[in-house]
Amino acid sequence: MSAIELLAPAGNLEKAKTAIRYGANAVYIGGQSFSLRSRASNFDLDQIHELCEFAHEHQAQVHVTVNIIPHPSDFGGLEDYLQALDQAGIDAIISASPSIITRALKMETRHFEVHVSTQRSILNSEAVRFWTNLGVDRVVLGRETPMPAIEEICQQNINDIEAFIHGGMCISFSGRCVLSNHMTNRDANRGGCAQSCRWKYTLRDGEQSITDPERPFSMSSRDLQAADQIERMIHAGVTSVKIEGRMKSDYYLAVVVGAYRRLIDHIEQYGHADEAFLSTICAELSRAENRPTGPGFYHGLPDENVQLYRKHDETVTQEYIGLVLDAHPQNRPGMIQVQVKNHFEQGTPVELFGPHIAPYQAIIEKIFNEENEEITICNHPMEIVYLPWQGDVVAGSMIRKQRLES
Ligand code: SF4
């Protein structure tokens, strides 16, 4: 069984390093030119270079999205930018534009791969073959590809295949939506999507409103959660499984990447994940969810139960309470140094998880401030405190409140 790549998003350098520390084999990022998510905190060339060095030291890769659908006025500086990315040491670009892809493939010197973005809606082996014949190194399938079609595509062994496993879904076919353009003049295919599908709407039949004012209409989909498909994907020969969400937090990345890392390692070691193990992973993934999730198109065409036609609110949790900066501070033996993220106090039941450390439970027995005075409550985000700690812990581990039902 060949190792499958776990590919994670990153909106900045720290998030990219977190994803790699928690087990991502590759991260994808946006540069400051020619990339969607124009409002995300994209990377400049120095940051891309720094990330490439960090990633390669950790046997991980860096993929850069060059995925706008360019208008004629957008091409200025493209060749120079591709050269600069090459010199920065990236491993791949992800693009949906035939113009950008063709120019990348024609570069005289190129060390990175060229991947075709999900925005091309590639759903079958004919489409994979079309792009392969042009010379691309990998095809990212549309999120709308059902599992049997993925298996059929992989069986033909045409090219490396990447498939989404987690994160936001478009209510429209990915990359084929002009709702945001229409409503706000912000182009979804040039990085400006205003997520107009998730706004609250009033439906009218003629002059009469037919929407319950308490439950306005919205077109949001459930987010994708495909943990139960990983085993099939590994056995099918999918090259890479991808998590969506360059705007997501460090905590989200740590939870989601860490959970999928454990699942993939387990399947690759034992050939199978039983129901009990899978449900542990799904419970862990749910700790990072702020919207309801579903199987996307993997269980067949989504029905109304996979849509959120009348509900789009996101839940914000304050479960994440501390980041371990130092697991063995020299001046405080037996303690960990923690940066406070949200309120907690003495006696709070917590869980700690970390890079390659599965979550385990503990109680906050005592808290000390930087002056080594005992305190009872932490309610200042970014404050540095020290906690006596027993148990597996490394720098970069995260502490969160236990859920009542856990
Ligand atoms: S408006 Fe909604 S469906 Fe359209 S591109 Fe944006 S997120 Fe996707």
Side-chain angles (χ1 to χ4, degrees):
M1 195 185 302
S2 63
I4 202 167
E5 175 186 271
L6 178 59
L7 176 57
N12 64 36
L13 202 48
E14 269 321 300
K15 291 179 187 177
K17 289 180 179 179
T18 297
I20 290 169
R21 289 191 184 106
Y22 274 79
N25 303 107
V27 289
Y28 65 97
I29 62 170
Q32 289 191 333
S33 311
F34 306 101
S35 174
L36 295 187
R37 296 275 174 239
S38 58
R39 290 177 302 120
S41 42
N42 285 353
F43 289 63
D44 64 27
L45 286 165
D46 288 341
Q47 292 170 322
I48 293 174
H49 178 65
E50 182 181 339
L51 175 58
C52 288
E53 292 200 327
F54 177 87
H56 296 160
E57 278 168 18
H58 290 75
Q59 289 75 51
Q61 294 198 344
V62 177
H63 302 180
V64 178
T65 56
V66 189
N67 55 353
I68 63 165
I69 304 297
H71 290 220
S73 57
D74 290 330
F75 283 111
L78 174 60
E79 274 86 358
D80 289 345
Y81 181 63
L82 293 174
Q83 286 292 353
L85 289 179
D86 198 47
Q87 282 162 13
I90 69 162
D91 299 283
I93 63 162
I94 308 166
S95 181
S97 159
S99 319
I100 295 174
I101 289 171
T102 306
R103 290 174 198 218
L105 292 172
K106 283 183 179 164
M107 288 168 67
E108 278 182 20
T109 327
R110 172 171 61 84
H111 302 91
F112 58 78
E113 292 190 350
V114 178
H115 299 175
V116 185
S117 162
T118 190
Q119 292 163 272
R120 284 265 65 97
S121 302
I122 299 170
L123 309 178
N124 57 64
S125 52
E126 287 303 308
V128 174
R129 192 165 281 110
F130 171 85
W131 286 101
T132 304
N133 289 341
L134 289 182
V136 304
D137 302 284
R138 181 185 295 187
V139 166
V140 187
L141 296 179
R143 291 173 177 80
E144 300 80 14
T145 319
M147 198 59 214
I150 293 179
E151 289 171 326
E152 190 268 332
I153 290 167
C154 289
Q155 261 174 17
Q156 299 198 33
N157 208 14
I158 307 164
N159 204 332
D160 286 356
I161 298 297
E162 184 175 303
F164 277 88
I165 52 166
H166 202 91
M169 299 280 284
C170 270
I171 192 77
S172 173
F173 255 56
S174 311
R176 303 203 172 208
C177 176
V178 290
L179 193 59
S180 172
N181 307 49
H182 178 71
M183 305 288 275
T184 67
N185 208 21
R186 282 166 47 178
D187 188 343
N189 281 315
R190 288 198 285 178
C193 176
Q195 297 199 319
S196 308
C197 58
R198 298 185 182 185
W199 297 357
K200 294 173 181 170
Y201 293 91
T202 301
L203 299 184
R204 291 185 176 279
D205 182 1
E207 289 301 305
Q208 190 184 357
S209 166
I210 55 171
T211 318
D212 178 351
E214 297 294 316
R215 302 176 70 218
F217 182 77
S218 171
M219 292 177 280
S220 180
S221 300
R222 285 174 180 259
D223 285 354
L224 175 64
Q225 196 269 60
D228 66 342
Q229 301 298 312
I230 298 292
E231 193 170 319
R232 258 177 104 170
M233 289 189 185
I234 290 175
H235 290 295
V238 169
T239 309
S240 176
V241 289
K242 183 172 202 166
I243 298 162
E244 182 275 346
R246 279 195 278 144
M247 303 290 282
K248 299 289 191 181
S249 68
D250 282 64
Y251 174 70
Y252 175 93
L253 280 173
V255 171
V256 174
V257 170
Y260 279 109
R261 177 78 274 149
R262 283 165 59 211
L263 178 58
I264 290 169
D265 289 350
H266 186 92
I267 296 169
E268 289 184 344
Q269 185 174 359
Y270 302 106
H272 174 62
D274 63 20
E275 283 295 320
F277 190 84
L278 197 56
S279 70
T280 306
I281 296 298
C282 291
E284 178 60 13
L285 289 169
S286 76
R287 301 300 296 266
E289 285 167 9
N290 59 1
R291 308 177 73 238
T293 59
F297 286 70
Y298 289 135
H299 291 182
L301 205 57
D303 60 17
E304 67 275 13
N305 295 319
V306 182
Q307 313 301 346
L308 302 172
Y309 286 128
R310 296 189 186 276
K311 183 170 181 291
H312 80 307
D313 292 338
E314 303 198 348
T315 326
V316 178
T317 77
Q318 294 177 336
E319 291 180 343
Y320 175 34
I321 58 171
L323 171 68
V324 178
L325 299 179
D326 191 342
H328 306 285
Q330 280 187 346
N331 54 345
R332 308 282 178 97
M335 297 199 192
I336 55 176
Q337 185 192 49
V338 173
Q339 184 182 62
V340 175
K341 298 293 181 182
N342 275 301
H343 163 274
F344 65 93
E345 55 196 48
Q346 279 187 10
T348 301
V350 298
E351 292 174 348
L352 182 144
F353 68 102
H356 307 284
I357 299 175
Y360 64 88
Q361 298 186 338
I363 303 281
I364 303 289
E365 303 281 5
K366 288 181 186 291
I367 308 168
F368 295 89
N369 64 16
E370 289 198 277
E371 284 70 45
N372 207 19
E373 298 160 340
E374 186 170 342
I375 56 176
T376 54
I377 292 179
C378 293
N379 48 15
H380 301 294
M382 309 305 282
E383 183 182 1
I384 303 297
V385 297
Y386 293 84
L387 310 177
W389 201 265
Q390 295 174 334
D392 206 5
V393 57
V394 294
S397 300
M398 296 184 182
I399 304 173
R400 66 187 176 204
K401 290 178 183 165
Q402 289 177 25
R403 277 197 178 160
L404 287 179
E405 70 271 18
S406 60

